[in-house]
Amino acid sequence: MNTRHFETDLGHVDADLTLHMQRVLPGPIERVWRYLVEPDLRRQWLGGGDSLAGLDQEFELVWRNDELTDPPGERPPGFSEEFRMQCTVLEFEPPKRLAFTWSNTGAVRFELKPQGEHVLLSLTHERLADPARVLMVGPGWHAHLDLLRDRINGQTPPTFWPTWQALRERYTARLQATA
């Protein structure tokens, strides 16, 4: 079985094109959970939309990446000012586990585990369609999770779009090296 391993800070993509990433965040776990389920907190690092309250809930995620940092940097070609996606909650175990559908092409799972005063956040994005999708989603999750870490730490994050573009170059080089 062919497995593609990215550098630890870039994440790991396995043979079925499932992306795995981890971040250590300052606790407590309940605070990190709120950044996942409360739209006003979630839009500071990922996307706004609906509040998440339970299993089987249908909800909308709304990305406005130009609003994540000031300045946002130049948006790459092919990206719009706003992107919306319909999702359904698949797992909801506060404050430890959240999973939801990713459009109609897979699922995303967050798992939170206390580690002393910190929280280990593990992200799994299942069933990415192809390597081209990995090159969109990998840098995206990487940039968004780093933004989450900065927001929780009260730090000013780097400009979003140039960060995403630099990460995409790193992911592209790493994916080509493992092909």
Side-chain angles (χ1 to χ4, degrees):
M1 175 160 89
N2 181 23
T3 300
R4 299 174 182 190
H5 292 276
F6 291 140
E7 299 165 25
T8 301
D9 70 322
L10 291 185
H12 162 84
V13 176
D14 59 27
D16 69 353
L17 295 179
T18 294
L19 174 69
H20 305 273
M21 290 187 176
Q22 293 186 322
R23 294 293 183 277
V24 176
L25 305 169
I29 193 171
E30 293 81 8
R31 176 172 60 167
V32 176
W33 178 258
R34 288 180 45 231
Y35 273 88
L36 299 179
V37 299
E38 294 180 15
D40 288 343
L41 292 174
R42 192 178 57 238
R43 76 175 172 78
Q44 293 178 29
W45 69 277
L46 180 65
D50 302 320
S51 181
L52 305 184
L55 192 61
D56 297 325
Q57 174 189 351
E58 294 182 6
F59 69 99
E60 183 175 54
L61 279 176
V62 181
W63 283 266
R64 293 184 184 108
N65 290 337
D66 290 354
E67 297 176 4
L68 292 174
T69 59
D70 186 20
E74 185 176 338
R75 185 178 339 112
F79 286 90
S80 60
E81 287 182 42
E82 180 179 283
F83 178 74
R84 293 174 176 262
M85 181 172 48
Q86 299 301 313
C87 305
T88 302
V89 176
L90 301 171
E91 297 177 42
F92 193 84
E93 299 175 31
K96 297 186 274 185
R97 186 180 306 218
L98 171 67
F100 51 85
T101 59
W102 188 262
S103 188
N104 57 2
T105 60
V108 172
R109 176 178 297 104
F110 294 96
E111 294 183 71
L112 304 176
K113 293 182 183 173
Q115 291 191 331
E117 296 180 6
H118 295 88
V119 176
L120 176 65
L121 179 147
S122 298
L123 172 129
T124 304
H125 190 138
E126 300 172 344
R127 298 184 310 274
L128 294 165
D130 53 45
R133 195 75 192 140
V134 170
L135 293 177
M136 292 293 289
V137 170
W141 278 122
H142 190 124
H144 286 292
L145 290 177
D146 286 354
L147 189 60
L148 172 61
R149 183 193 58 228
D150 291 342
R151 294 289 187 220
I152 290 177
N153 278 314
Q155 298 173 337
T156 301
T159 305
F160 182 78
W161 286 116
T163 298
W164 182 88
Q165 290 176 324
L167 286 165
R168 183 175 167 111
E169 290 172 13
R170 290 178 64 201
Y171 275 78
T172 298
R174 191 66 173 152
L175 190 61
Q176 290 172 346
T178 60

